[in-house]
Amino acid sequence: MSRTMRVRDSDAENRHTPGAPDTGPALDAAPRSRSELRRLAQRDEERGARARPSTRMTSDHHASVVSRTEGRAHSPFMVLLVLACTMGILLYGQFLLNPANRGDLLPYVAVIIAEAVLVLQALLAMWTILSGGQNPRDFDFHSTQDTLYDEEAIDRLGVRDQPHLWPIVVDGKPVVVDVFVTVYGEELSKIAMTVQAALAMQGEHRTWVLDDGRSDEVKDLAATLGARYIRRLTSNGAKAGNVNYALSVAKGDYFAIFDADFVPKPMFLHETVPFFIDAKVAFVQTPQSYGNLVSIVSRGAGYMQAVFYRYIQPGRNRFNAAFCVGTNVIFRRAAIDEVGGIDTDSKSEDVWTSLFLHEAGWRSIYIPMTLAIGDAPETIEAYSKQQLRWATGGFEILFRHNPLSPRRTLTMDQRFQYTLTATHYLTGIAPLLLIMVPPMEIFFDLRPMNLHISVLQWLLFYSGFYLLQIALAFFTLGSFRWEVLMLASVSFPIYVKALWNVLSGKDTAWHVTGGGKAASPFNVLVPQVLFWLFLTLTSLVAIWRDWDNRVLTLATVWNLINTAVLSAFLLAALREARAIKRAARTGSSARTTMAGPIGTASVPDRTLRTQVARPLPRSHDEFLELSAEQRAEQLRRDDERRHLLEAELAMVDEHHVDEHHVDERLADERHADEAGHHAAAPRPDRHDTNDREKVVS
C-alpha cells in the first residue's frame, strides 16, 4: 500500500466516530484506480469537514492557483489546427524537394537548407505540442500538498497568521528550503521588490541575496529587509559559480533560484515543493512571464517565448525532457550534488545542468503556471546579449555534447528533444539565406524554383507552411504579434556570431539581461545596417528593372518586404537611441520604457573578502528564546532600518519625478518659442511622488 493510501486510511480512521453511521465505502484492499482513490478520499474529507470543525488551515491560507485549463488535454480545435499545420509543413517540404520544381542550383540550395531547418523544427515542435496536455500532478502530489505544513508546530510557535513561517513537511519529515536571489549590478529597486517577495513566500524558508556585484548598498538592503547576504571574493563561473558558492554555505534540502528582476508570487513553494515527494524529481521549473511588454523589443522578446512556455515545455514533460531556464526554478540539493553542482563550463548553465541531471537518471517537472513576474529585455543591446548567451549554449550542446551520440545515457525521446533544443537557433540563421535569394534573381537572374511554376502555385504551398503557423500562434497567443516576426527576421547576425564563437572556441563574457548602463543600440547593429543598405539598393534596382519590363516580379516583392521589415527594426533602434541620448542629457535613467532607477547596485566593495551576513534572530526558535525586552529592541531596530530605507528611496523617487517635471517644462518652453510666445509652463509640485509605486512597504 502506498504512503498516500496509508495517510488517507489514517485520516479516515481518525474521522470515524464509534456508533456513528457509516459515511461511505472505506479504502480497502480491493484494487482501484488512482482517480477513484482520490475521489473517495476527497469525499471522506468533505464529509468529515461537515461533521466537525476542521483544525486544518482553510483554503484561504493556501488555495491553489492552478488555472482552470492547465493540465487538461488540448481542445479539439487546437489539435485540428496543429494537424493542419503539420500537413502544410509536409506538403511544402514535398513541393520543395520535387526535382521537377528545382531551379538554379545556388538559390535552390540556399532555400532547401533554410527551409529544411525550419520544416524539421516545425515538425518536432508540432509533435511536442501534441504530446502535451497531461497534468504532472498526481495523487501523491495532492496528498503531499494537503499535508505540506506542520500544523502542530504552527500552533506551538504561534505563527498561524504569518504564512512565511509555516514549517514545511514532505513525506512526514521537516525540510529546509533556501531561496537564492542572484544579483549582479541590477537596480536597487528591482532587488528590493524581489527580495521582499521572496521573504513573503508561503512556507518557512531562508532567503539569501547572492551579490556578485559586491555592493554595500545591496548588503544594507538585505539587512534591512531581513534577508541573508553572501558576497564571494571573485566572480568565477558567473551565475553558476555564484549559486555553487552559496550551496557551500546554505545546506537546505531544496533551493529555489530567482533572478533579481523576477518577483516570485506567495504560492511558489506551495505549488512546487510537493512534487519532491517523488524521490527522483531533481527540479521543478515554472515559466518566465513578463510584466514590462511596453516596447517593440520587450513585446517581441516576450511573446517570442510564449508558445515555448505554454505548449513546448509542457509537452516535454511527457518525455522527461523539460529543462531549467535559470530562474523561477527549485532544485533538490541531493540531485545537484550528484552531478557536481550547477555547470560552470557554459554561459547557459541552466540547460547544461538539466542535461547532466537527465543523463544521471533524474526526473524534471514543468508546470505552466505563472509563479513569478519579471522583465523582458527592453533594449536592443539587452536583447542581443540575451539571445547570444542562449544561442551559444544551444550550439555548445550540438557540437560539444551531441545528444544523439551513443555515449549519452538518454532515452530516445530525450535525445530528440535535446537535439531540438540544440538546433533551435539555426532557425535564426535561416533568414540570412532567404534574404539573399531575391538579390540572386535581381542581379544574376538565378531563380530557386522552375520557371514553369506560377506565382499562385508557389504561394499556395508557401502559405500552407507559414500562414498556418501564424494562425497557430494567433490562436495560442490571442493575437498576431508582428514584433515576433520582425525580431526573428533581423536577429541572424546574433546567431551567426554565436555559431562562430562555438566553432572557433571563442569565449564571451557573461552579461546580465538588462543590466548595466544602456548604450546606443547601433553599437550592436552594424551588420543589420549594412544589410539594410544592400537591400535598399537592391530594391531600387529591382523597381527600375520591373518598370522597364512592365512586369512586377516575385523577387521584387520579396526583397521589398525584407527591406520593410529591416527598416521597421532600424526605426525602433533610432527611437531607442534618441531616448538614451535624451536620458543622458537629463541625467535620468537610460531605460526607454520605465522610470528612472531608484538606485544602482554597482558600487564595488573596497574590502576584498568573502562576506556572509545573517539577520538576527536567525529563526523563530531563536526569536522565541529572546526576552520581552530583547524582542522589543529587535523590532525597534528593524523598524528604524526599514524607515531609513523608505526615506532614502523616497528622496531618490522625488529626485526622478522632479527631473521628469523639468523635462516637461523645457519641452513646453521650446514649443512656446516655436509658436512665438515665451510663457514658461508652470512647474508642478516637486513633492508629488504618489504616481510611482513604492518598492518597500
Side-chain angles (χ1 to χ4, degrees):
M1 184 180 294
S2 68
R3 185 198 66 82
T4 53
M5 290 176 63
R6 291 196 300 270
V7 170
R8 293 303 187 189
D9 285 337
S10 176
D11 290 346
E13 291 172 3
N14 293 336
R15 286 194 297 269
H16 181 67
T17 303
D22 188 14
T23 57
L27 296 179
D28 51 29
R32 300 179 185 273
S33 66
R34 298 177 68 87
S35 60
E36 183 180 0
L37 289 175
R38 186 181 173 206
R39 184 168 59 253
L40 292 175
Q42 289 176 337
R43 184 175 64 183
D44 287 345
E45 275 193 345
E46 293 172 357
R47 291 178 176 178
R50 289 195 297 267
R52 61 175 177 81
S54 174
T55 59
R56 295 178 59 83
M57 289 167 285
T58 64
S59 60
D60 292 339
H61 288 86
H62 53 81
S64 176
V65 294
V66 182
S67 64
R68 287 171 22 178
T69 59
E70 189 204 345
R72 297 182 180 179
H74 298 311
S75 67
F77 182 76
M78 172 72 175
V79 175
L80 179 62
L81 190 56
V82 171
L83 292 176
C85 289
T86 304
M87 185 61 66
I89 294 169
L90 294 176
L91 290 176
Y92 184 59
Q94 180 272 335
F95 169 76
L96 291 176
L97 296 176
N98 187 350
N101 299 331
R102 192 186 74 180
D104 296 305
L105 181 61
L106 184 60
Y108 178 75
V109 170
V111 169
I112 287 297
I113 293 176
E115 299 291 20
V117 172
L118 298 175
V119 165
L120 289 176
Q121 284 286 323
L123 281 176
L124 291 174
M126 298 301 108
W127 170 51
T128 305
I129 290 175
L130 289 176
S131 302
Q134 185 179 21
N135 195 331
R137 300 173 183 82
D138 56 11
F139 185 83
D140 289 342
F141 169 88
H142 289 286
S143 177
T144 304
Q145 192 178 56
D146 289 342
T147 58
L148 188 61
Y149 308 108
D150 188 342
E151 298 188 35
E152 292 183 1
I154 291 173
D155 293 332
R156 175 171 53 84
L157 297 172
V159 294
R160 190 168 291 277
D161 59 341
Q162 303 177 65
H164 65 286
L165 297 179
W166 291 349
I168 297 178
V169 177
V170 176
D171 200 14
K173 301 176 183 178
V175 298
V176 178
V177 179
D178 292 310
V179 176
F180 297 153
V181 179
T182 56
V183 175
Y184 188 59
E186 291 85 356
E187 297 173 6
L188 197 64
S189 59
K190 285 186 179 181
I191 301 171
M193 294 174 63
T194 302
V195 173
Q196 275 192 308
L199 289 165
M201 288 193 301
Q202 183 168 297
E204 184 181 14
H205 59 281
R206 303 178 301 192
T207 301
W208 303 78
V209 177
L210 314 184
D211 183 19
D212 254 8
R214 292 182 279 279
S215 166
D216 287 337
E217 293 179 350
V218 176
K219 181 180 179 180
D220 294 340
L221 174 67
T224 299
L225 297 178
R228 306 176 184 221
Y229 177 88
I230 294 180
R231 175 191 300 180
R232 57 183 180 142
L233 183 61
T234 67
S235 297
N236 292 338
K239 178 181 175 181
N242 196 8
V243 174
N244 286 337
Y245 184 83
L247 290 175
S248 68
V249 179
K251 302 296 184 179
D253 302 284
Y254 312 107
F255 64 94
I257 300 177
F258 296 97
D259 288 345
D261 58 348
F262 272 89
V263 181
K265 292 188 176 182
M267 305 302 289
F268 180 88
L269 297 178
H270 181 77
E271 296 293 346
T272 56
V273 172
F275 284 106
F276 292 108
I277 188 62
D278 183 349
K280 293 304 294 179
V281 170
F283 65 88
V284 180
Q285 178 66 60
T286 67
Q288 291 188 14
S289 300
Y290 304 107
N292 64 331
L293 306 181
V294 293
S295 68
I296 291 178
V297 175
S298 62
R299 285 195 299 271
Y303 286 110
M304 187 181 291
Q305 303 176 56
V307 174
F308 171 76
Y309 285 118
R310 291 186 187 182
Y311 296 99
I312 302 296
Q313 276 277 64
R316 291 174 182 263
N317 277 335
R318 178 68 65 88
F319 314 113
N320 188 27
F323 59 82
C324 169
V325 296
T327 183
N328 313 343
V329 62
I330 182 169
F331 285 94
R332 184 191 298 271
R333 172 66 180 263
I336 293 299
D337 288 344
E338 181 179 323
V339 297
I342 305 295
D343 181 68
T344 58
D345 293 333
S346 172
K347 300 302 184 293
S348 295
E349 76 290 336
D350 41 20
V351 65
W352 274 91
T353 302
S354 305
L355 177 59
F356 293 146
L357 287 169
H358 285 139
E359 287 184 341
W362 288 93
R363 183 183 173 209
S364 63
I365 296 290
Y366 174 81
I367 51 174
M369 178 191 304
T370 298
L371 294 174
I373 302 293
D375 290 343
E378 295 184 352
T379 65
I380 292 175
E381 181 185 26
Y383 167 78
S384 300
K385 291 178 179 179
Q386 179 198 67
Q387 294 298 307
L388 179 63
R389 187 172 71 249
W390 290 356
T392 301
F395 291 140
E396 284 175 343
I397 292 177
L398 180 63
F399 293 104
R400 300 178 185 176
H401 201 87
N402 192 330
L404 297 179
S405 170
R407 294 178 296 175
R408 310 295 170 233
T409 55
L410 297 170
T411 66
M412 186 57 65
D413 290 331
Q414 289 173 333
R415 293 174 187 271
F416 277 116
Q417 290 297 323
Y418 273 106
T419 301
L420 175 65
T421 300
T423 58
H424 169 73
Y425 290 100
L426 290 176
T427 61
I429 301 178
L432 171 61
L433 299 177
L434 297 178
I435 283 177
M436 297 305 298
V437 172
M440 291 182 192
E441 195 273 340
I442 293 171
F443 290 114
F444 306 107
D445 200 26
L446 298 176
R447 295 174 175 81
M449 307 307 294
N450 196 306
L451 288 175
H452 299 292
I453 299 175
S454 66
V455 174
L456 182 60
Q457 183 182 3
W458 183 83
L459 286 177
L460 180 63
F461 286 98
Y462 192 80
S463 61
F465 176 46
Y466 283 100
L467 293 185
L468 283 175
Q469 292 190 68
I470 293 176
L472 178 62
F474 184 91
F475 176 76
T476 56
L477 300 179
S479 62
F480 172 69
R481 298 293 176 177
W482 63 271
E483 299 97 333
V484 175
L485 290 180
M486 181 190 71
L487 286 184
S489 301
V490 303
S491 299
F492 57 88
I494 302 173
Y495 307 126
V496 171
K497 181 179 180 180
L499 180 60
W500 172 252
N501 288 344
V502 173
L503 293 177
S504 63
K506 180 181 179 181
D507 192 18
T508 56
W510 195 89
H511 298 280
V512 175
T513 301
K517 184 178 179 181
S520 172
F522 289 99
N523 293 343
V524 296
L525 293 183
V526 174
Q528 284 89 338
V529 172
L530 294 179
F531 265 93
W532 178 81
L533 292 173
F534 171 70
L535 292 180
T536 301
L537 175 63
T538 303
S539 297
L540 294 176
V541 173
I543 293 174
W544 174 80
R545 185 198 64 171
D546 289 358
W547 178 266
D548 188 53
N549 295 333
R550 299 297 188 268
V551 61
L552 180 63
T553 61
L554 180 61
T556 301
V557 176
W558 190 351
N559 197 81
L560 287 173
I561 293 175
N562 292 336
T563 307
V565 171
L566 200 51
S567 299
F569 179 68
L570 293 181
L571 285 176
L574 183 61
R575 288 195 294 268
E576 181 182 310
R578 290 177 177 174
I580 292 175
K581 289 182 179 180
R582 184 165 56 250
R585 287 197 301 268
T586 60
S588 59
S589 171
R591 298 177 66 191
T592 60
T593 58
M594 295 185 65
I598 293 182
T600 60
S602 58
V603 180
D605 184 25
R606 292 186 176 86
T607 58
L608 295 178
R609 61 186 180 88
T610 299
Q611 299 185 23
V612 179
R614 297 180 175 88
L616 294 176
R618 300 178 185 176
S619 67
H620 22 266
D621 291 334
E622 294 176 352
F623 187 83
L624 292 175
E625 292 175 0
L626 300 177
S627 64
E629 293 79 8
Q630 290 174 325
R631 292 186 189 183
E633 179 64 19
Q634 180 73 37
L635 294 174
R636 185 188 63 79
R637 289 198 302 266
D638 291 343
D639 289 340
E640 287 181 354
R641 288 200 302 260
R642 186 170 289 105
H643 292 326
L644 178 61
L645 178 64
E646 289 177 350
E648 292 177 352
L649 295 179
M651 292 177 62
V652 180
D653 210 15
E654 175 184 336
H655 172 70
H656 286 290
V657 171
D658 186 40
E659 288 180 345
H660 175 68
H661 290 161
V662 169
D663 292 342
E664 289 184 344
R665 189 185 64 176
L666 293 176
D668 291 341
E669 290 178 352
R670 193 159 51 247
H671 293 157
D673 291 340
E674 294 174 358
H677 60 82
H678 303 278
R683 181 171 181 164
D685 184 7
R686 63 179 293 174
H687 297 287
D688 182 14
T689 61
N690 294 330
D691 58 336
R692 293 188 58 193
E693 178 183 3
K694 302 300 181 184
V695 298
V696 178
S697 61

